[in-house]
Amino acid sequence: MNVSEAVLTAENLKVELGGTPVLQVPSFRLNDKEVVTVVGPNGSGKTTLLLTLACLLRPFSGGISYRGELLDSRDAVFRFRRKISMVFQDPLLFDTTVYNNVAAGLRIRGLSKNELKERVPKYLKMFGIEHLAKRSARKLSGGESQRTSLARALVIEPEILFLDEPFSALDPPTRHALIHDLARVLQETGTTTLMVTHVEFEAMKLSGRIVVMNGGSIIQTGSPSAVMDNPVDVFVAKLVGMEAVLNGKVLESSNGSLVISIYGKQVCALGQGKPEEEVNCCIRPENISVDTRNVSGEDRNVFAGRITHVYSMGPFLKLNLDCGFPLISLVTRDAFAKLGLAEKMDIYASFRPASVHVLKRNI
């Protein structure tokens, strides 16, 4: 089977709730063995898209096809549902043992006891819960419950796995460990997967393609690096972590290099533009360095400024900077301490021209 073969497609998909359009997708394609993550803010339509593609929500118009078969009848939808699995934020476990939870889908499908004994332990081990096989689901932690839910979904070896915010209720260490294990399992099994999330790390770690949604429409789709590094507009830029979005005007343009005026200060950037053109300059906080010294050089933009606020971000600190224009920097606690940084302190902020993502501004 060709890896690029479409498993699930949708055309002219439209969903209405109470007469109000909440989803309008001209086309969508999920390829065999592909892991796709749908991201967007609350109310963007990402869960509506997932539920519609899983045939749990009926579209107002448009069609969905599974391996070329249009899912336009009850029988076709029933056959399709037998080939998919879903995992939600709530594990939705049965009041029985972990083993029986994982085996449930296989029993429904009529597999023999010998087949259960062969397959269930395999998937318990995949998710590191083989030692919990006889434990009641009522006595599981949040992470253990979600591992059980994922093992139950994958043990039937579905054609498509649908995941709707499966990690959002977990604490960060548990979430990171489970995401790491799920990424490994999906790679081992080659399971075609569609996941909804609003967490950048989950999308980067798990998927080969990201779909960005807003207002019920797909705004951008591409590889994680393409979406993260080259957002198509300010909305996507902020969604993927480019927190500094600055209005500017192009002063000079030559061979892919730009000089842009921002609040009267000159910023060097890479990109395309014409003199006098209004642009947005988007910069990720991890690409902005802070120092007590002026580290000016030909390959860096350097601006004198002040730390106005410091926010804790776990192992990192987020710094709000006033350099005549606002910037946001992300530094490690270790770097913050070694440099002797503090709130209200005068500093120098610097970033490379390649770190500035330039977008034409809609005025």
Side-chain angles (χ1 to χ4, degrees):
M1 180 179 293
N2 193 308
V3 172
S4 63
E5 179 184 343
V7 176
L8 194 65
T9 58
E11 299 292 335
N12 301 315
L13 209 58
K14 183 177 181 181
V15 176
E16 293 186 356
L17 295 178
T20 301
V22 294
L23 185 73
Q24 297 185 68
V25 175
S27 65
F28 180 87
R29 177 186 177 109
L30 180 64
N31 294 324
D32 186 51
K33 298 184 180 180
E34 186 179 30
V35 179
V36 174
T37 302
V38 184
V39 300
N42 291 335
S44 62
K46 55 187 186 293
T47 293
T48 301
L49 175 63
L50 181 140
L51 293 177
T52 305
L53 291 172
C55 292
L56 296 177
L57 193 63
R58 185 187 298 274
F60 177 78
S61 61
I64 302 169
S65 298
Y66 166 71
R67 296 197 183 279
E69 179 186 9
L70 189 62
L71 303 177
D72 60 351
S73 69
R74 182 178 296 180
D75 288 344
V77 169
F78 177 78
R79 290 194 299 272
F80 171 67
R81 286 179 178 168
R82 298 277 290 185
K83 298 178 182 294
I84 68 174
S85 282
M86 296 197 70
V87 176
F88 299 93
Q89 177 179 332
D90 188 334
L92 301 174
L93 299 180
F94 300 121
D95 185 12
T96 183
T97 64
V98 168
Y99 184 97
N100 286 336
N101 265 282
V102 175
L106 299 177
R107 289 193 173 111
I108 291 171
R109 285 162 174 77
L111 271 70
S112 68
K113 288 184 178 181
N114 287 337
E115 289 173 305
L116 265 63
K117 288 179 180 179
E118 180 180 342
R119 200 184 293 188
V120 173
K122 172 185 174 182
Y123 282 86
L124 290 173
K125 186 176 181 179
M126 276 187 176
F127 285 97
I129 53 174
E130 64 269 33
H131 63 292
L132 302 175
K134 296 181 180 180
R135 184 175 297 182
S136 168
R138 288 186 174 186
K139 297 181 180 180
L140 299 177
S141 67
E144 291 167 346
S145 295
Q146 201 60 293
R147 286 176 179 274
T148 302
S149 181
L150 286 164
R152 180 177 63 183
L154 282 160
V155 74
I156 67 169
E157 299 179 354
E159 290 282 335
I160 305 174
L161 175 66
F162 291 95
L163 305 172
D164 187 12
E165 304 266 16
F167 313 113
S168 59
L170 304 177
D171 60 81
T174 301
R175 176 187 299 174
H176 280 68
L178 185 47
I179 290 170
H180 175 79
D181 287 346
L182 178 60
R184 171 182 50 77
V185 171
L186 293 180
Q187 186 174 28
E188 289 176 5
T189 61
T191 305
T192 305
T193 304
L194 181 66
M195 183 177 78
V196 161
T197 185
H198 62 275
V199 180
E200 178 184 326
F201 168 76
E202 294 177 11
M204 291 291 290
K205 178 67 176 178
L206 289 170
S207 57
R209 180 160 59 97
I210 292 176
V211 174
V212 182
M213 294 195 69
N214 189 36
S217 298
I218 293 175
I219 305 301
Q220 184 175 358
T221 184
S223 68
S225 59
V227 175
M228 296 296 175
D229 297 336
N230 297 289
V232 296
D233 59 19
V234 169
F235 169 81
V236 180
K238 289 183 177 180
L239 185 71
V240 300
M242 293 185 173
E243 297 190 49
V245 178
L246 307 167
N247 295 339
K249 179 182 289 187
V250 176
L251 299 178
E252 302 174 19
S253 176
S254 175
N255 299 320
S257 295
L258 302 172
V259 177
I260 301 169
S261 174
I262 298 176
Y263 288 77
K265 298 181 182 291
Q266 292 188 7
V267 173
C268 296
L270 303 182
Q272 301 298 321
K274 300 176 181 179
E276 300 301 313
E277 188 172 47
E278 301 284 343
V279 295
N280 290 118
C281 294
C282 311
I283 315 170
R284 302 181 72 89
E286 58 267 32
N287 290 334
I288 298 175
S289 299
V290 174
D291 207 318
T292 55
R293 301 164 298 136
N294 187 333
V295 291
S296 59
E298 292 184 1
D299 64 337
R300 297 192 75 84
N301 296 289
V302 183
F303 300 96
R306 172 169 288 194
I307 301 173
T308 58
H309 292 93
V310 178
Y311 301 96
S312 176
M313 300 286 290
F316 298 94
L317 293 172
K318 181 180 287 189
L319 313 182
N320 281 13
L321 312 175
D322 181 1
C323 298
F325 53 85
L327 289 174
I328 299 175
S329 177
L330 195 66
V331 301
T332 64
R333 290 180 180 273
D334 185 55
F336 189 87
K338 284 183 177 179
L339 290 169
L341 300 177
E343 204 167 86
K344 309 303 180 184
M345 185 176 184
D346 292 331
I347 49 83
Y348 290 93
S350 66
F351 50 91
R352 297 184 185 280
S355 298
V356 184
H357 182 64
V358 181
L359 293 167
K360 293 183 179 179
R361 183 148 55 99
N362 295 322
I363 303 174

